[in-house]
Amino acid sequence: MLPLRAIMTRYLILALAFLWSMGVYSQDNWQDDFRQWLTVEDLEEGYGETMVEQLAEVAASPINLNQTTREELETLPFLSASQVEQIMEYVYRYAPIRSIGELKMIASLDFHTRQLLEHFVYIGPEKARRVWPKLSDVTKYGRHSLVVSGKIPLYNRKGDITTDGSGYLGYKYRHDFRYQFNYNDRIRFGLTAAQDAGEPFFSDKNRMGYDHYSYYLQLRHMGRLEELNLGTYRVQMGMGLVMNTAFSLGKLATLQSMGRTTHMLTAHASRSQGDYLQGAAATIRVADHWRLSAFASYRALDATLNEDGTARTLLRDGYHRTQTELTKKNNTYETDFGGSIGYRQGTFHANLNMVYTHLNRQLIPQQVLYKRYAASGSDFTNMSIDYGYNTSRWGLSGETAVNHQGALATINTVNWRVTDALTLMLLHRYYDKRYVSLHAKSFGEGSGVQNEHGAYLGAKWQPAKAWLFQGYVDYAHFSHPRYQVNLPSDAFDALLSAYYSGREWNLEARYRMRIRQRDDSEKLHLQNLPEHRLRLRSTITLSPQWSLQTQADAVRTWADDDWQQGLMLGQHATWQWRWLTMDGHIGWFRTDSYDARLYQYERSVQYDFSFPAYYGHGLRHSLMLQAAIGQRLKVIIKYGTTNYFDRSTIGSGLQQIAHSSMTDILLQLRYKF
């Protein structure tokens, strides 16, 4: 442990560096604009990270508005169905668009949505498309990119130094690489290889090197073949009641998108080993208004097994660091078939969807009350119909699904643009306790599409160009016991946010209140667990090169029969000069317990979504440098330290660090050719 004087000296130097480099955030970083629609649940469920990875792919190959399609715009989760429709109508009527400023002519696009949209689109000439491009054009105009990343911890975890065979089998460094070829967003292929810290490399079950590989070939806009994916890919259908291996929108992001339905096939280029399919998927235009999509997948899964060889739990974390974790690697196989046939005429659409899943092992979950209706068996069939209709003022969308047992799940939304400044949205969902789908992921208070009945009312109000007010109230009832809840229970959630965007100042205030129910100590009655969260954030632009952002987060929650509180103060600074960018962050936090944990975003390298949880008493600081070397190479290094003042060790089990501080270095090289 460093002496107090050394610690204070380090913080003083960092503070002086911040004062020297204070400046506002770079408008080139779309994550700064996007994160205002994320909530704690998005972060804890991993939806935020999945959304960021998908948007990073779009940002790397932005959409040409003069040659876009409805399906391309629907890859942007912050656009509503009405906004997508109005963008397409404007392009059709006034093409070619000559300036990004013309987006102001689309009434439904508020200032904040336009600001975010500009990171993912550009204005380019409309080019004639051959049904099948010439090989010479592909090789001449195609672009390659290579991203190599590594994380170096300047500490040892208990699992790194354990010598009795129960520790980690690999070294403590995390690393990955991503190669991608892209020709006009019509032909893409690539390979991603990822290795988590502690996993064996070229040994044990990883004799092929990396622990995980993603590989894909994607063809788009080839005549009637609208899209073909080979290798690893993701599928989204409707509102996710039968198939969604991508992300699910949280409650605030749902308000931004107005709960629209989505049909999308995308390549899986992520280091994530969770929800993806492996095989082939395609969408074909069979007639002017009809689309047919189909997919087939066969892949290995990780599972915890029962003594009789059946599967108790399907695992999605992808960790294979110990002998125990390695025995679970690829011990179960999943086969998926499915498809969708859809009709679209103007602003009306309807799709019939079907998914069949087979496991080579019987899935028999743990026999406890809250898992009575959990997924079990080896064969699962789900069917649904999703639908939508929009006008310039109102719209509706939804999906209704059944499983092979006849259990029902349905979700429906209605949105109404009362005035150009005010939009309302009402969402209702009912998920039967017997409804099961292995690939379902949709809107809800609970963690799955099951055992929930709820209603949600959201509103967006922009009384002036610079001001945006958003808010929602949500109520959910659970008819069957849940984890730590042995009786039928309820949940309430409400949020209100205000956002001001000026020429030099951005201000945001957000308040959220949640009430959940849990068993009391005797497990005879339920107790309410209220939680209050407050966020204040300001961003000031001093010049094109300098920026400064200040944020305060506070929480007060009822846990363990007492009020738990937490506070975090953070300061972020950015400085840009020609080819060099410097980002710094420092945050002080103090919370009573893990239940009062807080989150603050900090910039990181591409594809690394840094929104960690903080609890206890400590200080977090980081510094990131980005250097653009010529037009093709970018080098990024990030140094980050978390110091705790209330403990001598960090973490538990094999993750335990025998120090009160932890420091990591992130390195990334990005090369385009």
Short mmCIF file of all heavy atoms in Angstrom, two decimals, residues 233 235 242-245 273-279 295-303 311 313-316 330-337 355-363 375 377-380 382 437-440:
data_model
loop_
_atom_site.label_atom_id
_atom_site.label_comp_id
_atom_site.label_asym_id
_atom_site.label_seq_id
_atom_site.Cartn_x
_atom_site.Cartn_y
_atom_site.Cartn_z
N TYR A 233 -23.83 -14.84 -36.34
CA TYR A 233 -24.74 -13.74 -36.63
C TYR A 233 -25.75 -13.60 -35.49
O TYR A 233 -25.87 -14.45 -34.60
CB TYR A 233 -25.46 -13.97 -37.96
CG TYR A 233 -26.28 -15.24 -38.02
CD1 TYR A 233 -27.64 -15.23 -37.67
CD2 TYR A 233 -25.71 -16.45 -38.42
CE1 TYR A 233 -28.39 -16.39 -37.70
CE2 TYR A 233 -26.46 -17.61 -38.46
CZ TYR A 233 -27.80 -17.58 -38.10
OH TYR A 233 -28.54 -18.73 -38.13
N VAL A 235 -29.98 -12.31 -34.65
CA VAL A 235 -31.31 -12.17 -35.24
C VAL A 235 -32.20 -11.41 -34.27
O VAL A 235 -32.23 -11.70 -33.07
CB VAL A 235 -31.94 -13.54 -35.55
CG1 VAL A 235 -33.34 -13.36 -36.13
CG2 VAL A 235 -31.07 -14.33 -36.51
N VAL A 242 -40.07 -13.94 -29.39
CA VAL A 242 -39.65 -15.29 -29.78
C VAL A 242 -38.17 -15.35 -30.14
O VAL A 242 -37.53 -16.39 -29.99
CB VAL A 242 -40.50 -15.84 -30.94
CG1 VAL A 242 -41.96 -15.90 -30.57
CG2 VAL A 242 -40.29 -15.03 -32.21
N MET A 243 -37.59 -14.24 -30.63
CA MET A 243 -36.18 -14.26 -31.05
C MET A 243 -35.57 -12.88 -30.95
O MET A 243 -36.04 -11.93 -31.58
CB MET A 243 -36.07 -14.78 -32.49
CG MET A 243 -34.68 -14.65 -33.10
SD MET A 243 -33.39 -15.55 -32.18
CE MET A 243 -33.80 -17.25 -32.55
N ASN A 244 -34.56 -12.77 -30.12
CA ASN A 244 -33.77 -11.55 -30.02
C ASN A 244 -32.42 -11.91 -29.43
O ASN A 244 -32.26 -12.01 -28.23
CB ASN A 244 -34.46 -10.50 -29.16
CG ASN A 244 -33.67 -9.20 -29.08
OD1 ASN A 244 -32.66 -9.05 -29.77
ND2 ASN A 244 -34.11 -8.28 -28.25
N THR A 245 -31.44 -12.13 -30.28
CA THR A 245 -30.10 -12.45 -29.80
C THR A 245 -29.19 -11.22 -29.82
O THR A 245 -27.98 -11.34 -29.66
CB THR A 245 -29.46 -13.57 -30.65
OG1 THR A 245 -29.40 -13.15 -32.02
CG2 THR A 245 -30.27 -14.85 -30.55
N GLN A 273 -19.51 -14.11 -25.89
CA GLN A 273 -19.80 -15.50 -26.18
C GLN A 273 -21.22 -15.87 -25.79
O GLN A 273 -21.57 -17.05 -25.70
CB GLN A 273 -18.80 -16.40 -25.45
CG GLN A 273 -17.37 -16.15 -25.85
CD GLN A 273 -16.39 -17.04 -25.11
OE1 GLN A 273 -16.59 -18.24 -24.99
NE2 GLN A 273 -15.30 -16.45 -24.61
N GLY A 274 -22.06 -14.86 -25.55
CA GLY A 274 -23.41 -15.11 -25.09
C GLY A 274 -24.37 -15.38 -26.23
O GLY A 274 -24.30 -16.42 -26.91
N ASP A 275 -25.26 -14.47 -26.48
CA ASP A 275 -26.35 -14.69 -27.44
C ASP A 275 -25.89 -14.43 -28.86
O ASP A 275 -25.74 -13.29 -29.29
CB ASP A 275 -27.52 -13.76 -27.11
CG ASP A 275 -28.21 -14.16 -25.82
OD1 ASP A 275 -28.23 -15.36 -25.51
OD2 ASP A 275 -28.71 -13.27 -25.11
N TYR A 276 -25.69 -15.49 -29.60
CA TYR A 276 -25.48 -15.39 -31.04
C TYR A 276 -25.83 -16.74 -31.65
O TYR A 276 -25.97 -17.75 -30.96
CB TYR A 276 -24.05 -14.97 -31.39
CG TYR A 276 -22.98 -16.00 -31.10
CD1 TYR A 276 -22.64 -16.95 -32.06
CD2 TYR A 276 -22.31 -16.02 -29.89
CE1 TYR A 276 -21.65 -17.89 -31.80
CE2 TYR A 276 -21.32 -16.95 -29.63
CZ TYR A 276 -21.00 -17.89 -30.59
OH TYR A 276 -20.04 -18.83 -30.33
N LEU A 277 -25.99 -16.77 -32.96
CA LEU A 277 -26.26 -18.00 -33.70
C LEU A 277 -25.11 -18.27 -34.65
O LEU A 277 -24.31 -17.38 -34.96
CB LEU A 277 -27.58 -17.87 -34.47
CG LEU A 277 -28.83 -17.59 -33.62
CD1 LEU A 277 -30.06 -17.43 -34.51
CD2 LEU A 277 -29.06 -18.66 -32.58
N GLN A 278 -25.05 -19.49 -35.13
CA GLN A 278 -23.91 -19.90 -35.97
C GLN A 278 -24.42 -20.80 -37.09
O GLN A 278 -24.99 -21.86 -36.82
CB GLN A 278 -22.88 -20.64 -35.12
CG GLN A 278 -21.64 -21.09 -35.87
CD GLN A 278 -20.62 -21.70 -34.92
OE1 GLN A 278 -19.74 -21.02 -34.41
NE2 GLN A 278 -20.76 -22.99 -34.67
N GLY A 279 -24.25 -20.33 -38.30
CA GLY A 279 -24.75 -21.08 -39.44
C GLY A 279 -25.02 -20.15 -40.59
O GLY A 279 -24.12 -19.49 -41.09
N PHE A 295 -33.37 -18.75 -41.07
CA PHE A 295 -32.06 -18.99 -40.48
C PHE A 295 -31.96 -20.41 -39.97
O PHE A 295 -32.97 -21.06 -39.65
CB PHE A 295 -31.77 -18.00 -39.35
CG PHE A 295 -32.70 -18.10 -38.17
CD1 PHE A 295 -32.44 -18.99 -37.13
CD2 PHE A 295 -33.83 -17.31 -38.10
CE1 PHE A 295 -33.29 -19.09 -36.04
CE2 PHE A 295 -34.70 -17.40 -37.01
CZ PHE A 295 -34.43 -18.30 -35.98
N ALA A 296 -30.74 -20.91 -39.93
CA ALA A 296 -30.43 -22.21 -39.37
C ALA A 296 -29.13 -22.09 -38.60
O ALA A 296 -28.18 -21.44 -39.06
CB ALA A 296 -30.31 -23.27 -40.46
N SER A 297 -29.07 -22.71 -37.43
CA SER A 297 -27.91 -22.55 -36.56
C SER A 297 -27.62 -23.83 -35.80
O SER A 297 -28.53 -24.56 -35.40
CB SER A 297 -28.17 -21.41 -35.55
OG SER A 297 -27.18 -21.37 -34.54
N TYR A 298 -26.33 -24.10 -35.63
CA TYR A 298 -25.88 -25.21 -34.78
C TYR A 298 -24.62 -24.74 -34.07
O TYR A 298 -23.65 -24.35 -34.71
CB TYR A 298 -25.57 -26.45 -35.63
CG TYR A 298 -25.09 -27.63 -34.81
CD1 TYR A 298 -25.99 -28.40 -34.06
CD2 TYR A 298 -23.74 -27.99 -34.79
CE1 TYR A 298 -25.55 -29.48 -33.32
CE2 TYR A 298 -23.30 -29.07 -34.06
CZ TYR A 298 -24.21 -29.82 -33.32
OH TYR A 298 -23.77 -30.89 -32.59
N ARG A 299 -24.67 -24.72 -32.75
CA ARG A 299 -23.52 -24.23 -32.00
C ARG A 299 -23.42 -24.92 -30.65
O ARG A 299 -24.39 -25.51 -30.14
CB ARG A 299 -23.60 -22.72 -31.79
CG ARG A 299 -24.80 -22.24 -31.02
CD ARG A 299 -24.60 -20.85 -30.45
NE ARG A 299 -23.51 -20.77 -29.50
CZ ARG A 299 -23.33 -19.79 -28.63
NH1 ARG A 299 -24.19 -18.79 -28.58
NH2 ARG A 299 -22.32 -19.79 -27.80
N ALA A 300 -22.23 -24.84 -30.08
CA ALA A 300 -21.97 -25.40 -28.76
C ALA A 300 -22.27 -24.37 -27.69
O ALA A 300 -22.05 -23.17 -27.88
CB ALA A 300 -20.52 -25.87 -28.66
N LEU A 301 -22.76 -24.84 -26.54
CA LEU A 301 -23.06 -24.00 -25.39
C LEU A 301 -22.33 -24.52 -24.17
O LEU A 301 -21.91 -25.68 -24.11
CB LEU A 301 -24.57 -23.99 -25.10
CG LEU A 301 -25.53 -23.55 -26.20
CD1 LEU A 301 -26.96 -23.72 -25.71
CD2 LEU A 301 -25.27 -22.11 -26.58
N ASP A 302 -22.21 -23.67 -23.17
CA ASP A 302 -21.72 -24.08 -21.86
C ASP A 302 -22.92 -24.37 -20.97
O ASP A 302 -23.94 -23.68 -21.04
CB ASP A 302 -20.88 -22.98 -21.21
CG ASP A 302 -19.63 -22.65 -22.00
OD1 ASP A 302 -19.37 -23.33 -23.01
OD2 ASP A 302 -18.93 -21.69 -21.63
N ALA A 303 -22.80 -25.37 -20.12
CA ALA A 303 -23.91 -25.70 -19.22
C ALA A 303 -23.38 -26.32 -17.94
O ALA A 303 -22.36 -27.01 -17.93
CB ALA A 303 -24.88 -26.66 -19.90
N ALA A 311 -28.85 -31.05 -18.29
CA ALA A 311 -28.36 -29.68 -18.07
C ALA A 311 -29.24 -28.98 -17.03
O ALA A 311 -30.46 -29.00 -17.14
CB ALA A 311 -28.37 -28.89 -19.37
N THR A 313 -28.37 -25.57 -15.92
CA THR A 313 -28.35 -24.16 -16.27
C THR A 313 -27.51 -23.96 -17.53
O THR A 313 -26.41 -24.50 -17.64
CB THR A 313 -27.74 -23.31 -15.14
OG1 THR A 313 -28.42 -23.58 -13.92
CG2 THR A 313 -27.87 -21.83 -15.45
N LEU A 314 -28.02 -23.18 -18.48
CA LEU A 314 -27.24 -22.77 -19.64
C LEU A 314 -26.47 -21.51 -19.29
O LEU A 314 -27.05 -20.54 -18.79
CB LEU A 314 -28.16 -22.52 -20.84
CG LEU A 314 -29.02 -23.70 -21.29
CD1 LEU A 314 -29.89 -23.30 -22.48
CD2 LEU A 314 -28.16 -24.91 -21.65
N LEU A 315 -25.17 -21.50 -19.55
CA LEU A 315 -24.30 -20.40 -19.14
C LEU A 315 -24.00 -19.49 -20.33
O LEU A 315 -23.80 -19.96 -21.45
CB LEU A 315 -22.99 -20.95 -18.57
CG LEU A 315 -23.15 -21.93 -17.39
CD1 LEU A 315 -21.80 -22.52 -17.00
CD2 LEU A 315 -23.80 -21.24 -16.20
N ARG A 316 -23.93 -18.18 -20.05
CA ARG A 316 -23.71 -17.21 -21.11
C ARG A 316 -22.48 -16.33 -20.88
O ARG A 316 -22.16 -15.49 -21.71
CB ARG A 316 -24.93 -16.28 -21.22
CG ARG A 316 -26.28 -17.00 -21.36
CD ARG A 316 -26.43 -17.64 -22.70
NE ARG A 316 -27.76 -18.23 -22.87
CZ ARG A 316 -28.15 -18.91 -23.94
NH1 ARG A 316 -27.31 -19.07 -24.95
NH2 ARG A 316 -29.36 -19.43 -24.01
N ASN A 330 -18.58 -25.95 -23.96
CA ASN A 330 -19.05 -26.67 -25.14
C ASN A 330 -19.53 -28.09 -24.84
O ASN A 330 -19.35 -29.01 -25.65
CB ASN A 330 -17.94 -26.72 -26.20
CG ASN A 330 -17.54 -25.35 -26.68
OD1 ASN A 330 -18.26 -24.38 -26.50
ND2 ASN A 330 -16.37 -25.26 -27.30
N ASN A 331 -20.16 -28.27 -23.66
CA ASN A 331 -20.64 -29.61 -23.32
C ASN A 331 -22.09 -29.86 -23.74
O ASN A 331 -22.63 -30.93 -23.49
CB ASN A 331 -20.47 -29.88 -21.82
CG ASN A 331 -21.27 -28.91 -20.96
OD1 ASN A 331 -22.06 -28.12 -21.46
ND2 ASN A 331 -21.05 -28.97 -19.66
N THR A 332 -22.72 -28.87 -24.35
CA THR A 332 -24.10 -28.99 -24.79
C THR A 332 -24.22 -28.35 -26.17
O THR A 332 -23.52 -27.37 -26.46
CB THR A 332 -25.05 -28.28 -23.80
OG1 THR A 332 -24.88 -28.85 -22.50
CG2 THR A 332 -26.50 -28.43 -24.22
N TYR A 333 -25.10 -28.90 -27.00
CA TYR A 333 -25.25 -28.39 -28.37
C TYR A 333 -26.69 -27.98 -28.62
O TYR A 333 -27.64 -28.64 -28.19
CB TYR A 333 -24.80 -29.43 -29.39
CG TYR A 333 -23.32 -29.65 -29.36
CD1 TYR A 333 -22.75 -30.58 -28.49
CD2 TYR A 333 -22.46 -28.90 -30.16
CE1 TYR A 333 -21.38 -30.77 -28.43
CE2 TYR A 333 -21.09 -29.08 -30.11
CZ TYR A 333 -20.56 -30.02 -29.25
OH TYR A 333 -19.19 -30.19 -29.18
N GLU A 334 -26.82 -26.86 -29.33
CA GLU A 334 -28.12 -26.28 -29.61
C GLU A 334 -28.32 -26.15 -31.11
O GLU A 334 -27.44 -25.67 -31.82
CB GLU A 334 -28.23 -24.90 -28.95
CG GLU A 334 -29.52 -24.16 -29.23
CD GLU A 334 -29.53 -22.76 -28.64
OE1 GLU A 334 -29.88 -22.65 -27.45
OE2 GLU A 334 -29.15 -21.81 -29.35
N THR A 335 -29.48 -26.58 -31.58
CA THR A 335 -29.87 -26.44 -32.98
C THR A 335 -31.08 -25.51 -33.06
O THR A 335 -32.04 -25.68 -32.30
CB THR A 335 -30.23 -27.80 -33.59
OG1 THR A 335 -29.12 -28.70 -33.43
CG2 THR A 335 -30.56 -27.66 -35.07
N ASP A 336 -31.02 -24.53 -33.95
CA ASP A 336 -32.11 -23.58 -34.12
C ASP A 336 -32.49 -23.47 -35.58
O ASP A 336 -31.62 -23.39 -36.46
CB ASP A 336 -31.70 -22.19 -33.62
CG ASP A 336 -31.46 -22.14 -32.13
OD1 ASP A 336 -32.44 -22.08 -31.38
OD2 ASP A 336 -30.28 -22.15 -31.73
N PHE A 337 -33.80 -23.48 -35.82
CA PHE A 337 -34.35 -23.19 -37.14
C PHE A 337 -35.45 -22.15 -36.95
O PHE A 337 -36.16 -22.16 -35.94
CB PHE A 337 -34.95 -24.43 -37.80
CG PHE A 337 -33.95 -25.50 -38.12
CD1 PHE A 337 -33.80 -26.59 -37.29
CD2 PHE A 337 -33.17 -25.41 -39.26
CE1 PHE A 337 -32.89 -27.59 -37.58
CE2 PHE A 337 -32.25 -26.40 -39.56
CZ PHE A 337 -32.10 -27.49 -38.71
N VAL A 355 -39.84 -19.96 -34.44
CA VAL A 355 -38.51 -20.41 -34.01
C VAL A 355 -38.65 -21.78 -33.36
O VAL A 355 -39.53 -22.00 -32.51
CB VAL A 355 -37.89 -19.42 -32.99
CG1 VAL A 355 -36.55 -19.97 -32.49
CG2 VAL A 355 -37.69 -18.06 -33.61
N TYR A 356 -37.77 -22.69 -33.76
CA TYR A 356 -37.69 -24.01 -33.14
C TYR A 356 -36.28 -24.20 -32.61
O TYR A 356 -35.29 -23.95 -33.32
CB TYR A 356 -38.03 -25.12 -34.14
CG TYR A 356 -37.67 -26.50 -33.64
CD1 TYR A 356 -38.44 -27.14 -32.66
CD2 TYR A 356 -36.55 -27.16 -34.13
CE1 TYR A 356 -38.10 -28.40 -32.20
CE2 TYR A 356 -36.19 -28.42 -33.67
CZ TYR A 356 -36.98 -29.04 -32.71
OH TYR A 356 -36.62 -30.28 -32.24
N THR A 357 -36.18 -24.65 -31.37
CA THR A 357 -34.88 -24.87 -30.73
C THR A 357 -34.82 -26.29 -30.16
O THR A 357 -35.77 -26.74 -29.51
CB THR A 357 -34.65 -23.86 -29.59
OG1 THR A 357 -34.68 -22.54 -30.11
CG2 THR A 357 -33.29 -24.10 -28.92
N HIS A 358 -33.70 -26.96 -30.41
CA HIS A 358 -33.48 -28.31 -29.88
C HIS A 358 -32.14 -28.35 -29.14
O HIS A 358 -31.12 -27.88 -29.66
CB HIS A 358 -33.47 -29.35 -30.99
CG HIS A 358 -33.05 -30.71 -30.53
ND1 HIS A 358 -33.86 -31.55 -29.78
CD2 HIS A 358 -31.87 -31.38 -30.69
CE1 HIS A 358 -33.21 -32.66 -29.51
NE2 HIS A 358 -32.01 -32.60 -30.06
N LEU A 359 -32.15 -28.91 -27.93
CA LEU A 359 -30.93 -29.14 -27.16
C LEU A 359 -30.62 -30.63 -27.16
O LEU A 359 -31.54 -31.46 -27.04
CB LEU A 359 -31.11 -28.65 -25.72
CG LEU A 359 -31.43 -27.16 -25.53
CD1 LEU A 359 -31.69 -26.87 -24.05
CD2 LEU A 359 -30.30 -26.29 -26.05
N ASN A 360 -29.34 -30.98 -27.27
CA ASN A 360 -29.00 -32.39 -27.27
C ASN A 360 -29.07 -33.01 -25.87
O ASN A 360 -28.96 -34.22 -25.72
CB ASN A 360 -27.61 -32.61 -27.87
CG ASN A 360 -26.49 -32.15 -26.94
OD1 ASN A 360 -26.62 -31.11 -26.28
ND2 ASN A 360 -25.40 -32.91 -26.87
N ARG A 361 -29.24 -32.17 -24.85
CA ARG A 361 -29.46 -32.65 -23.48
C ARG A 361 -30.81 -32.13 -22.99
O ARG A 361 -31.25 -31.06 -23.38
CB ARG A 361 -28.38 -32.14 -22.53
CG ARG A 361 -26.96 -32.58 -22.81
CD ARG A 361 -26.04 -31.95 -21.77
NE ARG A 361 -24.64 -32.20 -22.06
CZ ARG A 361 -23.96 -33.26 -21.61
NH1 ARG A 361 -24.57 -34.15 -20.86
NH2 ARG A 361 -22.68 -33.41 -21.91
N GLN A 362 -31.43 -32.88 -22.13
CA GLN A 362 -32.61 -32.39 -21.45
C GLN A 362 -32.21 -31.25 -20.51
O GLN A 362 -31.20 -31.34 -19.81
CB GLN A 362 -33.26 -33.51 -20.63
CG GLN A 362 -33.99 -34.55 -21.46
CD GLN A 362 -35.36 -34.08 -21.88
OE1 GLN A 362 -35.99 -33.27 -21.20
NE2 GLN A 362 -35.85 -34.59 -23.00
N LEU A 363 -32.98 -30.19 -20.53
CA LEU A 363 -32.78 -29.07 -19.60
C LEU A 363 -33.72 -29.27 -18.41
O LEU A 363 -34.94 -29.21 -18.57
CB LEU A 363 -33.06 -27.74 -20.31
CG LEU A 363 -32.90 -26.47 -19.48
CD1 LEU A 363 -31.47 -26.32 -18.95
CD2 LEU A 363 -33.29 -25.24 -20.30
N ALA A 375 -37.70 -22.76 -18.10
CA ALA A 375 -37.55 -23.57 -19.31
C ALA A 375 -37.05 -24.96 -18.95
O ALA A 375 -36.08 -25.12 -18.21
CB ALA A 375 -36.58 -22.90 -20.27
N GLY A 377 -36.90 -29.30 -20.62
CA GLY A 377 -37.07 -30.15 -21.79
C GLY A 377 -35.95 -29.96 -22.78
O GLY A 377 -34.92 -29.32 -22.50
N SER A 378 -36.12 -30.49 -23.97
CA SER A 378 -35.08 -30.39 -25.00
C SER A 378 -35.59 -29.76 -26.30
O SER A 378 -34.79 -29.45 -27.18
CB SER A 378 -34.51 -31.78 -25.31
OG SER A 378 -35.54 -32.66 -25.75
N ASP A 379 -36.91 -29.58 -26.42
CA ASP A 379 -37.46 -29.01 -27.64
C ASP A 379 -38.39 -27.85 -27.29
O ASP A 379 -39.24 -27.96 -26.40
CB ASP A 379 -38.25 -30.08 -28.42
CG ASP A 379 -37.35 -31.18 -28.93
OD1 ASP A 379 -36.73 -31.00 -29.99
OD2 ASP A 379 -37.26 -32.23 -28.24
N PHE A 380 -38.22 -26.74 -28.02
CA PHE A 380 -38.98 -25.52 -27.75
C PHE A 380 -39.43 -24.92 -29.08
O PHE A 380 -38.61 -24.74 -29.99
CB PHE A 380 -38.13 -24.50 -26.99
CG PHE A 380 -37.51 -25.05 -25.72
CD1 PHE A 380 -36.30 -25.73 -25.76
CD2 PHE A 380 -38.15 -24.90 -24.51
CE1 PHE A 380 -35.74 -26.24 -24.60
CE2 PHE A 380 -37.60 -25.40 -23.34
CZ PHE A 380 -36.39 -26.06 -23.38
N ASN A 382 -41.81 -21.68 -30.70
CA ASN A 382 -42.49 -20.42 -30.45
C ASN A 382 -42.93 -19.81 -31.77
O ASN A 382 -42.19 -19.86 -32.76
CB ASN A 382 -41.59 -19.42 -29.72
CG ASN A 382 -41.14 -19.93 -28.36
OD1 ASN A 382 -40.21 -20.72 -28.25
ND2 ASN A 382 -41.82 -19.47 -27.32
N SER A 437 -39.33 -19.07 -23.88
CA SER A 437 -38.61 -19.02 -25.15
C SER A 437 -37.13 -18.82 -24.82
O SER A 437 -36.78 -17.87 -24.12
CB SER A 437 -39.11 -17.88 -26.03
OG SER A 437 -38.30 -17.75 -27.19
N LEU A 438 -36.28 -19.70 -25.32
CA LEU A 438 -34.86 -19.61 -24.97
C LEU A 438 -34.18 -18.38 -25.54
O LEU A 438 -33.14 -17.95 -25.03
CB LEU A 438 -34.13 -20.87 -25.44
CG LEU A 438 -34.48 -22.18 -24.75
CD1 LEU A 438 -33.53 -23.29 -25.20
CD2 LEU A 438 -34.44 -22.05 -23.23
N HIS A 439 -34.74 -17.79 -26.58
CA HIS A 439 -34.09 -16.65 -27.23
C HIS A 439 -34.91 -15.37 -27.11
O HIS A 439 -34.65 -14.41 -27.85
CB HIS A 439 -33.82 -16.95 -28.70
CG HIS A 439 -32.86 -18.07 -28.92
ND1 HIS A 439 -31.55 -18.02 -28.49
CD2 HIS A 439 -33.02 -19.28 -29.52
CE1 HIS A 439 -30.94 -19.15 -28.82
NE2 HIS A 439 -31.80 -19.93 -29.44
N ALA A 440 -35.87 -15.33 -26.21
CA ALA A 440 -36.69 -14.13 -26.05
C ALA A 440 -35.95 -13.10 -25.21
O ALA A 440 -35.27 -13.42 -24.24
CB ALA A 440 -38.02 -14.48 -25.40
#
